[in-house]
Amino acid sequence: MKQYDAIIIGFGKGGKTIAGKMAKLGKRVAIIEKSAQMYGGTCINEGCIPSKSLITQAEKYNYHDAIINKEDLITKLRNKNYAKLADLQNVDVITATAKFVDDHHVAICTENEEEIIFGDLIFVNTGATPVMPPIKGLATANKVYTSASLMKLEELPKTLAIIGGGYIGLEFASMYARYGSEVTVYESNDRLIAREDRDIAEEIQRILEKQGVKFVFNANIQALANEGEEVLVTYNDQVSQRFAGILMATGRKANTADLNLDAAGIEVNQRGEIVVNKYLQTTKKNIFALGDVKGSLQFTYISLDDSRIVMDYLFGDKKRSTLNRGNIAYSVFISPTFSRIGLSEVEAKAAGYEVIVTKLLTAAVPKANVLKKPEGLLKAIIDKKTERILGCVLLCEHSEELINLVTLVMNNDLSYKVLKNQIFTHPTMAEALNDLFDL
């Protein structure tokens, strides 16, 4: 039986980072990935990288050429990630499925054989998978895709229905509309992204509608049915138009079903997510869970930070935890990009803060006009008593970069005046923060 200091199940961001760091410490490591097409994890192969590659190419290439460019990029990154670990003498990269035998033994299974290996420490980094709701005809309908499988189509679907108007749904709506698809988004609520302030959500809707996206609200999807090469969508007792493709953007769930977690004594919650403490330990102290498999925020950079917490707990001073990450920003890559951190205006007022709300139209930013991207809105919520930024929303080009400046100010407990008075280069999108915070 092979024995390892660490077994890592899943080649995601957190897992591969821990594998590399432990190998540098002289530990013997096994990293198990069920598919050779997933070396590097979901972000590289099915998530952030392919989607952002297609998004950034929408104004430069036709869809077919963008798909080819995207696949070339993924292959290069996948091979690079594989080699980065496989070339290390004390790391075994194993392509197989994995399931627990107990809290120290893992069975690795291929088509031809099963082998049991021992691990002193075990890390679960198996990510999440799309949720498929119980819609009549879904299992037999043609042309139904997840976000991953849709991006592998070589031909652009002329008509695309997106079931789910959350962040992923909106990102794909913007992307495919810009390539030329006729996109219809079916949202079960009466408005978009309910957790955002109405002024922001309405501006996002206006921008996407201008791009050609149609929205159907209060939509209860009842059935999907094949009709030739297309699919009929039935909602609210009426048949919609036929579509050449259906994207299911109805959420994601933790990949835990096949791990045999009970055998190791690892608890999961009602959603099937692995239960962890603030150091990301499971109910078995030698087993840790990182990334989407434990629930909470499903971002690659959270998985990376998870690896920092775990390494600090095992080899550092144990000061890092999930409780002291600070404020965490996120971006949705519609066009223009939508980024947010902290509290919304509604949330801040509900929490009892006396707030100052400041807004700036993107059209007032010189660089936005240079880029010919004047659409959008910037908004910040400030605590009137302390001058601290409580939250910020940036709906503008390059907001995925700008939001990190706001994050630094918030997490270092600084006044909004730091951004108001900062000298930025010109013309840049960053200097919009001078005006946004010029109260």
Side-chain angles (χ1 to χ4, degrees):
M1 180 186 298
K2 292 181 180 178
Q3 298 195 9
Y4 295 92
D5 296 302
I7 295 174
I8 298 159
I9 305 174
F11 211 131
K13 185 66 173 181
K16 69 184 181 185
T17 303
I18 285 180
K21 289 185 178 297
M22 294 197 75
K24 289 180 180 179
L25 294 174
K27 308 296 183 182
R28 191 176 183 201
V29 178
I31 183 164
I32 307 166
E33 176 52 58
K34 67 180 180 180
S35 170
Q37 299 302 305
M38 290 299 290
Y39 295 139
T42 297
C43 176
I44 286 174
N45 296 287
E46 295 184 345
C48 314
I49 298 301
S51 63
K52 279 53 179 181
S53 173
L54 288 178
I55 288 167
T56 57
Q57 294 183 81
E59 296 174 1
K60 300 177 182 178
Y61 299 95
N62 63 47
Y63 181 76
H64 178 74
D65 290 343
I67 288 291
I68 293 173
N69 294 338
K70 180 260 298 181
E71 289 299 321
D72 288 344
L73 174 63
I74 292 172
T75 299
K76 290 177 182 177
L77 291 174
R78 183 189 300 136
N79 292 342
K80 181 179 179 180
N81 272 263
Y82 173 80
K84 191 173 182 179
L85 292 180
D87 289 349
L88 299 175
Q89 288 187 342
N90 51 339
V91 175
D92 291 338
V93 178
I94 303 168
T95 307
T97 59
K99 61 181 179 181
F100 283 94
V101 176
D102 57 34
D103 58 348
H104 281 285
H105 295 85
V106 173
I108 51 176
C109 311
T110 63
E111 291 183 2
N112 302 318
E113 62 182 353
E114 177 176 308
E115 179 185 359
I116 296 176
I117 59 177
F118 171 90
D120 185 24
L121 296 168
I122 302 176
F123 306 90
V124 183
N125 188 215
T126 50
T129 191
V131 172
M132 291 297 171
I135 297 174
K136 181 181 178 181
L138 176 60
T140 56
N142 299 323
K143 309 294 180 71
V144 175
Y145 305 101
T146 64
S147 57
S149 60
L150 181 64
M151 289 188 291
K152 294 178 181 177
L153 290 182
E154 293 187 3
E155 291 188 17
L156 180 73
K158 288 186 177 181
T159 53
L160 177 66
I162 299 178
I163 299 178
Y167 299 125
I168 292 177
L170 296 183
E171 193 167 284
F172 275 75
S174 178
M175 181 201 315
Y176 277 81
R178 290 163 66 210
Y179 277 110
S181 288
E182 295 179 18
V183 179
T184 302
V185 176
Y186 292 91
E187 169 55 46
S188 60
N189 294 311
D190 62 357
R191 58 187 185 180
L192 287 182
I193 43 179
R195 73 182 301 265
E196 307 297 344
D197 287 330
R198 286 304 86 208
D199 53 351
I200 299 298
E202 289 170 2
E203 179 68 3
I204 290 172
Q205 181 178 340
R206 186 192 68 79
I207 289 171
L208 293 181
E209 286 177 337
K210 189 175 180 180
Q211 292 174 11
V213 179
K214 298 177 182 177
F215 292 94
V216 178
F217 294 103
N218 297 308
N220 175 26
I221 306 297
Q222 295 163 305
L224 303 178
N226 295 320
E227 186 171 292
E229 293 297 312
E230 296 178 309
V231 181
L232 283 174
V233 176
T234 299
Y235 74 99
N236 300 356
D237 296 322
Q238 60 180 323
V239 176
S240 180
Q241 69 185 90
R242 295 185 296 269
F243 293 94
I246 310 287
L247 170 62
M248 301 302 298
T250 47
R252 295 174 68 82
K253 62 181 179 180
N255 269 329
T256 56
D258 299 325
L259 291 174
N260 198 26
L261 297 176
D262 287 343
I266 299 173
E267 290 185 12
V268 297
N269 61 24
Q270 292 180 339
R271 296 182 298 275
E273 300 158 349
I274 294 178
V275 176
V276 294
N277 65 13
K278 64 181 181 179
Y279 300 115
L280 304 174
Q281 286 175 304
T282 69
T283 42
K284 289 294 181 177
K285 300 306 180 186
N286 68 302
I287 302 175
F288 296 77
L290 303 89
D292 297 355
V293 75
K294 69 182 191 316
S296 187
L297 299 173
Q298 295 188 349
F299 300 122
T300 296
Y301 45 91
I302 293 297
S303 186
L304 174 61
D305 195 61
D306 286 349
S307 73
R308 298 186 187 117
I309 291 171
V310 170
M311 292 300 293
D312 182 63
Y313 178 80
L314 293 172
F315 305 106
D317 55 17
K318 297 180 173 58
K319 289 184 178 180
R320 284 184 175 271
S321 80
T322 58
L323 302 181
N324 58 19
R325 291 192 207 263
N327 295 282
I328 297 169
Y330 59 87
S331 294
V332 182
F333 288 82
I334 58 176
S335 180
T337 311
F338 163 67
S339 301
R340 178 183 158 186
I341 187 170
L343 301 177
S344 68
E345 179 182 352
V346 171
E347 290 168 343
K349 290 178 178 177
Y353 288 101
E354 184 179 1
V355 300
I356 301 171
V357 177
T358 177
K359 298 181 184 181
L360 178 71
L361 292 175
T362 304
V365 182
K367 183 58 181 285
N369 291 285
V370 170
L371 296 171
K372 297 183 179 180
K373 298 285 187 178
E375 302 233 84
L377 175 68
L378 294 78
K379 179 178 180 179
I381 298 90
I382 298 165
D383 184 346
K384 187 174 183 179
K385 294 180 180 179
T386 67
E387 296 186 348
R388 300 305 185 256
I389 302 170
L390 298 173
C392 185
V393 174
L394 306 175
L395 178 59
C396 63
E397 197 74 359
H398 302 315
S399 71
E400 72 277 11
E401 302 287 353
L402 301 189
I403 200 69
N404 294 309
L405 296 174
V406 182
T407 303
L408 283 171
V409 170
M410 291 177 67
N411 285 345
N412 285 280
D413 200 28
L414 301 174
S415 166
Y416 74 89
K417 292 179 181 177
V418 170
L419 292 172
K420 172 185 176 180
N421 296 320
Q422 177 64 40
I423 300 174
F424 294 107
T425 54
H426 173 81
T428 61
M429 290 301 297
E431 62 185 338
L433 299 177
N434 287 152
D435 295 332
L436 178 62
F437 290 102
D438 187 17
L439 305 180

